[in-house]
Amino acid sequence: MRYREAMKAFPIPALVLALGLAGPAFAVPRAAQTPSSDRVAALIAQANDAEGRGETELALRLAQSAIVADPARTAPYIALGDIYADTGEKNYARSYYDEALSIDPDDASALKAVATLDQKKPRVLAKP
């Protein structure tokens, strides 16, 4: 099974929960998550850079890593949703935006992303 097909078959939120990675992150107070927050921000920045260079598969992996690093934050879900939206995968994009909104129903970035999802033009995935 190819990587992209596997990621569609096993979405990150379900994978994170199945592996038991979500529990400790939710139990740790926000103040104690500063190193994780820095790592998440760096992974998202790297994902954005990779997508800008046309390295979509790398961008997806980096955004997924950001979710695993801190599944309680909305930003990694939004970043992954943005990548899927840019490649025309609206259903996957919407699922990650919805996951962000389940964490914070008032997240402005997620709300805006959902509102503009249907207006985006798809971009063809870069071939490795």
Side-chain angles (χ1 to χ4, degrees):
M1 182 179 286
R2 296 183 58 170
Y3 176 79
R4 188 163 178 78
E5 294 166 343
M7 290 316 303
K8 288 180 181 178
F10 302 101
I12 292 297
L15 183 61
V16 168
L17 293 173
L19 295 175
L21 298 174
F26 288 109
V28 178
R30 271 286 177 217
Q33 292 184 4
T34 303
S36 174
S37 296
D38 292 343
R39 177 177 156 86
V40 169
L43 287 167
I44 292 171
Q46 291 171 5
N48 290 335
D49 290 344
E51 185 181 19
R53 293 189 308 268
E55 298 178 43
T56 305
E57 294 297 327
L58 176 60
L60 289 169
R61 287 192 302 267
L62 289 164
Q64 291 161 354
S65 296
I67 290 172
V68 173
D70 190 352
R73 289 188 60 193
T74 59
Y77 294 98
I78 296 167
L80 189 54
D82 289 346
I83 296 166
Y84 278 120
D86 289 345
T87 59
E89 298 283 350
K90 292 180 182 181
N91 291 334
Y92 291 110
R94 188 174 309 279
S95 71
Y96 287 103
Y97 295 147
D98 288 345
E99 188 64 30
L101 290 170
S102 75
I103 295 168
D104 181 1
D106 298 322
D107 187 288
S109 296
L111 291 169
K112 181 179 179 183
V114 169
T116 61
L117 184 60
D118 293 327
Q119 298 171 0
K120 287 196 170 206
K121 301 279 186 209
R123 179 174 61 78
V124 178
L125 282 177
K127 300 285 181 184

